[in-house]
Amino acid sequence: MTRKVTKAIFPVAGLGTRFLPATKSVPKEIMTLVDKPLVQYAIDEAREAGIKEFIFVTSRGKGALEDYFDKAPQLERSLEEKGKTDLLDILKATNMESGEIAYTRQHEALGLGHAVWCARRLIGPDEPFAVMLPDDVIASEKSCLAQMIEAYEETGGSMVAAMEVAPEATKSYGVLDVKSTKGRVNDVAGMVEKPALGTAPSNLAVIGRYVLAPTVLENLSTIKPGAGGELQLTDAIAQEITDGRKVYGFEFDGRRYDCGSKAGYLQATVAFALSNPELRDEFAHYLDGVINHKMAAE
Ligand code: G1P
């Protein structure tokens, strides 16, 4: 039987340079989709999957992110006095209990693998754990991480979220070499981080959700820098296979938005606005107008 997964690591130390100048003062993880910060989507997804402890790997300049998780008693009082219970509920749903959230710092930008390694002392020696990259926002009926943990409880080992991408896009991802497939679960024979064009073992890409065996943390202490000269999480997971342990790629049910890119962020904004009951009609009407106007002009 697998041990319950109750901790998730959120690597949020990145500089977010693709969103400059906004990220000069706003951590990209608290940029919003409609009205909710990116990081809140990841936290809601984690809670639905049974995660109880949230570990953030931050860096200099992420103060606003830490503040976001504080309670806002003054604001709560003022909403209470005005009888704005709807807003009060929204606000309270984002509160974190003291001790439920931990922060550790990545002191140097040495890669995703290094960021996860920075949280090693907060994970027990026999404890499987999740990693969630808040840039990857996944819209799904059932939380993507919940789907994965359910599958992981059957398989054990380590599991990464996986999705087919266009062959020319594989160079931006970790890519899986698949041995065999059963339903949504792929038995993985190898993994390559950001393979050069034309060299990818498949077009099944790793998406930012992981359920990992504690040995991956040990591997992170010994692996050498990989793609881009950085310590890669992909390489530490691939090491599991070399050491005779199992790694699975889980093809989740849901739609993933790459909110680390401007195009993906805008697509997510449109999708979430269109699925918001308060905005849907007005926004769809507006989009129709924009598209018709453009077509008429062409
Ligand atoms: C990271 C991982 C990569 C994964 C991707 C998913 O890359 O290193 O394996 O495919 O996230 O979003 P990054 O996007 O940080 O370059």
Side-chain angles (χ1 to χ4, degrees):
M1 223 183 73
T2 56
R3 191 168 153 180
K4 243 187 153 29
V5 182
T6 59
K7 290 184 186 170
I9 300 174
F10 299 76
V12 292
L15 296 174
T17 46
R18 279 196 262 180
F19 285 94
L20 278 171
T23 44
K24 214 174 134 194
S25 70
V26 182
K28 70 173 170 182
E29 298 77 17
I30 53 174
M31 289 179 26
T32 56
L33 288 179
V34 185
D35 51 10
K36 219 160 70 166
L38 290 183
V39 71
Q40 188 67 51
Y41 287 94
I43 287 177
D44 292 349
E45 184 188 327
R47 273 202 203 285
E48 199 187 316
I51 298 298
K52 305 278 182 249
E53 288 180 63
F54 303 81
I55 301 165
F56 282 80
V57 182
T58 67
S59 61
R60 189 188 298 268
K62 298 281 176 167
L65 181 64
E66 297 193 17
D67 290 349
Y68 172 77
F69 294 117
D70 281 346
K71 290 206 168 108
Q74 241 177 346
L75 187 54
E76 284 185 16
R77 219 170 308 125
S78 137
L79 293 174
E80 229 159 54
E81 279 163 17
K82 291 182 186 139
K84 297 195 169 168
T85 45
D86 289 3
L87 290 178
L88 196 61
D89 289 346
I90 290 173
L91 196 62
K92 284 190 171 163
T94 65
N95 283 347
M96 300 293 264
E97 262 177 58
S98 298
E100 192 180 38
I101 185 162
Y103 301 98
T104 186
R105 291 270 275 229
Q106 186 186 27
H107 298 103
E108 270 180 289
L110 298 178
L112 176 62
H114 179 260
V116 170
W117 178 80
C118 290
R120 69 200 176 285
R121 292 182 211 273
L122 301 171
I123 304 286
D126 302 317
E127 198 174 19
F129 60 99
V131 175
M132 302 183 80
L133 311 185
D135 273 4
D136 282 332
V137 174
I138 299 170
S140 56
E141 222 160 89
K142 180 178 192 167
S143 138
C144 174
L145 189 66
Q147 297 174 40
M148 287 174 72
I149 289 181
E150 203 178 288
Y152 161 81
E153 282 167 356
E154 299 283 317
T155 61
S158 289
M159 186 172 278
V160 301
M163 183 182 100
E164 279 190 11
V165 298
E168 60 277 13
T170 48
K171 63 178 187 327
S172 306
Y173 293 92
V175 181
L176 303 179
D177 183 2
V178 172
K179 209 177 344 184
S180 63
T181 305
K182 206 168 143 201
R184 294 187 176 277
V185 179
N186 297 279
D187 194 344
V188 174
M191 292 169 77
V192 195
E193 180 68 13
K194 305 205 168 77
L197 209 56
T199 67
S202 75
N203 62 342
L204 206 54
V206 177
I207 300 303
R209 300 292 183 272
Y210 307 78
V211 179
L212 299 176
T215 35
V216 173
L217 285 174
E218 292 168 27
N219 303 344
L220 283 169
S221 309
T222 54
I223 57 163
K224 300 274 173 287
E230 298 189 331
L231 281 178
Q232 296 294 351
L233 184 57
T234 297
D235 295 344
I237 302 170
Q239 183 67 42
E240 289 292 276
I241 305 167
T242 311
D243 293 345
R245 286 183 286 268
K246 301 295 284 184
V247 173
Y248 300 95
F250 181 79
E251 289 181 78
F252 55 94
D253 180 24
R255 168 132 201 189
R256 173 259 189 176
Y257 296 94
D258 174 13
C259 292
S261 79
K262 284 178 204 164
Y265 181 74
L266 289 173
Q267 285 161 15
T269 300
V270 172
F272 281 81
L274 288 176
S275 64
N276 180 310
E278 269 174 41
L279 292 175
R280 185 188 296 136
D281 294 346
E282 188 186 337
F283 194 58
H285 181 72
Y286 166 76
L287 286 181
D288 262 351
V290 172
I291 290 161
N292 289 335
H293 185 75
K294 189 169 175 282
M295 290 198 339
E298 275 170 5

